[in-house]
Each structure stands twice: as C-alpha cells, then as structure tokens.
Amino acid sequence: MSDSLDALERRIAGLRAEVRRAVKAKENSLARSLRGELRRAEQAWDAAISSEAPAPACEPETSLLPIREQVHQALAMLGVPTSAKLIVAVNDAFFSRELRGSQLTSLRRDEERSFRGDPYARPYYLCAALTDRLSPARGLLADSTWPAESRVLGPLSPRVDFLTSTMRIAEHLARLAEPPAGAVRLLSRMAQNIPGAVEGFAPADPATAIRAARAELEVHRAADTAQRAEVAARATRQLPDAERLFGVTAMNTLRGAC
C-alpha cells in the first residue's frame, strides 16, 4: 500500500505542475482535463490513506447509569451538600466515569420541575442546599432524602462540610485494597487545606487525614449543629414542600408562605 501511495503522490505532484503550465499557456481545455485527473488522483489518495489509518483508540467507558444517578452516588458517598466540581472529581476518582460539570448545570432545575409536576413520584430528588435566608445555595446539590438539618447551611457549614467530605473520601480509600491513583490525589489536595492532615506535598495517608479532619470538626460541630437546626426549623415551619427542597428565590415567596 505504501508503494501505491508513493506513486499517487508523485502522480498528484506531476498533475499539479501540468495544470500550472496549462493555465499559464492559456490552454483552458487541457487545464480542465488535467484538473479532473488531479481530483480523481487526490480522491484515490484519500481512500488509500484511510485504509492505512490505525483503528481509533478505545473511548473511555461510558457509564450506563443516567447522570442523575451518578450524581446521587457521589452525594451518597460524601453525605453533605456538594459542589458540581467536587461531584465530578469524586465520580472520576472512584468510579472512572466521564461526567462533566456542564452536564450538572440544569440538573437541579430539571429536578425541581419534575417535583412540582408530580411531587414525590421519585424515590429521591437532587435538590438545593438552603442558606439561612432559605434561598438555594449557589452551586450546591443535596439529596432530598437527607434530614432537613443536613440540607441547610449555617455560617460554619462550608468548613464543616469540607471536613466531612474529606473524612468520607479518606474512609472510602481506607477500605480499598488498591486505591485508585486519582482518588489518592484528590484526598491529598483536600488534605492540604487541613492542618496536620498531610506531610508537605506527599500523598495523604487516609488515617492521618481522618484524625486531622475529625479534630478540627470537633471544634465546630456543636455550633454548626445548632445553627443548622435553627435554619431547618424555620424552613419546616414557613415553607411548602417544594420550597423546602429547592428554596425560595424572592422574599415575597417567603412572605406568602408564612
């Protein structure tokens, strides 16, 4: 096949030179005929090179799970309201599936639309975490089956949830005989933000990360639990079902629910 390609390439080069000469000499009929031969030679070259091209590399395995179930699996592992970025990172590190942040952009809106159309028809919904204003927290997803106190946020909650996520990832890693390299890197990056969780830039040890995260968590836990309980009580008292899961977007909505 290489010999025929070489011959075709020589033929194409020769025809191009002949076309130039015919055009320069204003031999229009000859030029048109040569261009036709050149096109046929180029098509033959395309067909020949395609037959020599190596088979395409295998694409990464695509998960058979729908996107919402992949997100639900990551949330179940972490147990706290989580950003799309961390959901994608956990999914990639532990489950080796392709999931992009852009795929999560409209997911919460779709879930809310489904709930309002047919409440409680699904066993779970991917809902919003609620701020202390009972509005949806930007970019955070939660599981509708969690207790209300786990789906709302107080001032300390972002740090508490980060520590909890780190512990859950470390615990999951500790149970694996051969931890995925991507999961170790993820834990190491998170451990860098916890005092005493990792030595310099070395890979994090799950047991060390758990101890360090738990020690700091104990400092914040009581205050955060009380703050979340207060927000959850207001949400339960003031909001109808859909807003308890997806939050209020305007103060008049909240006043109408009181």
Side-chain angles (χ1 to χ4, degrees):
M1 180 60 73
S2 295
D3 291 342
S4 62
L5 276 171
D6 291 341
L8 280 168
E9 287 167 355
R10 288 193 294 271
R11 175 64 175 155
I12 289 169
L15 284 168
R16 285 173 176 164
E18 291 181 41
V19 168
R20 285 198 300 271
R21 284 194 293 269
V23 169
K24 189 174 181 180
K26 298 183 180 181
E27 296 178 359
N28 296 334
S29 296
L30 178 59
R32 281 196 297 272
S33 175
L34 290 169
R35 283 192 178 110
E37 287 187 51
L38 177 59
R39 282 194 296 272
R40 288 190 290 274
E42 288 172 338
Q43 289 167 357
W45 185 91
D46 288 340
I49 198 66
S50 296
S51 68
E52 285 202 345
C58 293
E59 294 292 329
E61 184 176 351
T62 302
S63 173
L64 297 178
L65 286 176
I67 291 169
R68 73 185 299 269
E69 291 188 25
Q70 294 182 51
V71 173
H72 185 249
Q73 190 171 30
L75 286 174
M77 178 178 161
L78 298 171
V80 294
T82 305
S83 68
K85 183 177 180 179
L86 183 54
I87 288 170
V88 170
V90 166
N91 188 70
D92 180 61
F94 286 97
F95 307 116
S96 300
R97 295 188 298 249
E98 283 196 353
L99 185 64
R100 298 183 302 276
S102 59
Q103 294 175 302
L104 277 63
T105 302
S106 61
L107 187 58
R108 193 198 63 77
R109 291 195 298 272
D110 293 341
E111 293 287 291
E112 181 174 1
R113 192 178 303 116
S114 174
F115 182 88
R116 290 183 182 278
D118 192 3
Y120 302 109
R122 295 175 172 178
Y124 68 84
Y125 290 85
L126 303 175
C127 60
L130 302 190
T131 69
D132 57 0
R133 295 176 178 270
L134 306 185
S135 59
R138 184 178 180 84
L140 295 180
L141 288 172
D143 184 331
S144 65
T145 64
W146 293 347
E149 291 82 359
S150 298
R151 293 185 284 103
V152 298
L153 304 174
L156 295 170
S157 298
R159 184 60 181 174
V160 166
D161 288 349
F162 175 81
L163 295 168
T164 303
S165 295
T166 304
M167 287 178 58
R168 297 290 288 267
I169 288 170
E171 289 165 354
H172 197 78
L173 267 174
R175 290 193 290 269
L176 300 177
E178 296 183 11
V184 175
R185 288 194 296 271
L186 174 61
L187 176 63
S188 300
R189 290 199 303 271
M190 297 180 74
Q192 291 291 335
N193 296 292
I194 303 172
V198 65
E199 289 288 338
F201 293 96
D205 170 61
T208 303
I210 290 169
R211 284 195 300 272
R214 183 177 289 127
E216 185 180 342
L217 194 57
E218 288 304 315
V219 175
H220 305 305
R221 193 193 304 273
D224 181 61
T225 298
Q227 291 162 354
R228 282 177 134 148
E230 188 276 328
V231 177
R234 281 195 288 117
T236 301
R237 184 174 64 251
Q238 296 178 354
L239 301 181
D241 287 1
E243 280 70 23
R244 287 179 196 170
L245 296 182
F246 299 99
V248 295
T249 55
M251 290 306 296
N252 61 347
T253 305
L254 179 57
R255 283 195 290 267
C258 295

